[in-house]
Amino acid sequence: MARPALRADAVLVQAVIAGALSFAHLHDLAAAAGQSGWKAWAYPVSVDLLLVAAWHRLRSGGSKPAAWCWFVVSLTASLGANVATAGLLDLGDVPAWLRILVAGWPAVAFLGGTLLAHGTRAQAPMPSPELAPADNSAPGASDPAPELPTASVPASVPPALVALARKVAAEHRARTGTAIDTSTLRARLGVPLPLAEAITAHHLT
């Protein structure tokens, strides 16, 4: 179990050494390009932060093209400073184009950091809801829908209306010799058809 810890420590030491060397090279190049004092120390911080931000966006699943673009830009700035301070460039006589690049770097780093921090992130597609299959084994699943009970007409009818209905029925039988039907009773009494049917069924039979 101790071996992985030693390997992790070795990687960490290597990262610290590489970061310190790159930091120093960027500082020396910025100072040679006319950025003195604290400004020379701010340049390596800016380059390394942009590199870390681009790498974090690549690992977090953000916009790949934008993250790769700014990763290459910051890596080129860091690698360029390392190569330039390796004796290939006279730091006592820095060319004008390099001074322009160093002076314009803060605006480039600000633009890259803003786009990386506030750019759109890739979102995982939302799973489409699946309809659950109908469970035919559930109790009552295959039973037919219960029929609604029909409205029942109360058999209780006001006595006065019953007496009037019997009188009308007697007059109809005396005149025609037949029992009065429901339609005629309804027309003579002026009551709804269900009430006429109830009177005929319960009080005139």
Side-chain angles (χ1 to χ4, degrees):
M1 298 298 294
R3 194 171 187 80
L6 292 176
R7 290 182 58 186
D9 292 343
V11 172
L12 180 60
V13 171
Q14 179 66 23
V16 171
I17 294 174
L21 291 174
S22 178
F23 194 92
H25 291 160
L26 284 166
H27 169 268
D28 295 343
L29 183 62
Q35 307 297 325
S36 59
W38 67 268
K39 293 182 290 183
W41 292 106
Y43 272 84
V45 175
S46 175
V47 173
D48 290 344
L49 284 180
L50 184 60
L51 185 64
V52 172
W55 178 248
H56 177 70
R57 175 57 65 91
L58 287 173
R59 295 293 301 273
S60 61
S63 177
K64 298 296 184 181
W68 274 115
C69 174
W70 293 110
F71 182 80
V72 171
V73 169
S74 56
L75 183 62
T76 302
S78 179
L79 184 60
N82 296 335
V83 174
T85 55
L88 301 180
L89 180 66
D90 185 7
L91 296 182
D93 186 17
V94 178
W97 62 267
L98 185 55
R99 292 177 179 270
I100 294 174
L101 288 180
V102 173
W105 172 258
V108 175
F110 177 78
L111 176 63
T114 302
L115 294 177
L116 289 174
H118 300 286
T120 56
R121 296 182 180 271
Q123 297 182 354
M126 297 294 293
S128 58
E130 297 181 359
L131 297 178
D135 187 5
N136 295 328
S137 62
S142 59
D143 297 341
E147 297 181 358
L148 295 177
T150 57
S152 59
V153 179
S156 59
V157 183
L161 185 59
V162 173
L164 179 60
R166 288 175 177 173
K167 179 180 178 181
V168 171
E171 292 176 354
H172 182 79
R173 179 179 294 274
R175 187 174 64 255
T176 61
T178 58
I180 190 170
D181 59 302
T182 304
S183 299
T184 304
L185 181 64
R186 174 178 175 273
R188 294 289 301 275
L189 296 179
V191 297
L193 180 60
L195 185 57
E197 292 175 347
I199 295 174
T200 304
H202 297 285
H203 301 285
L204 298 184
T205 55

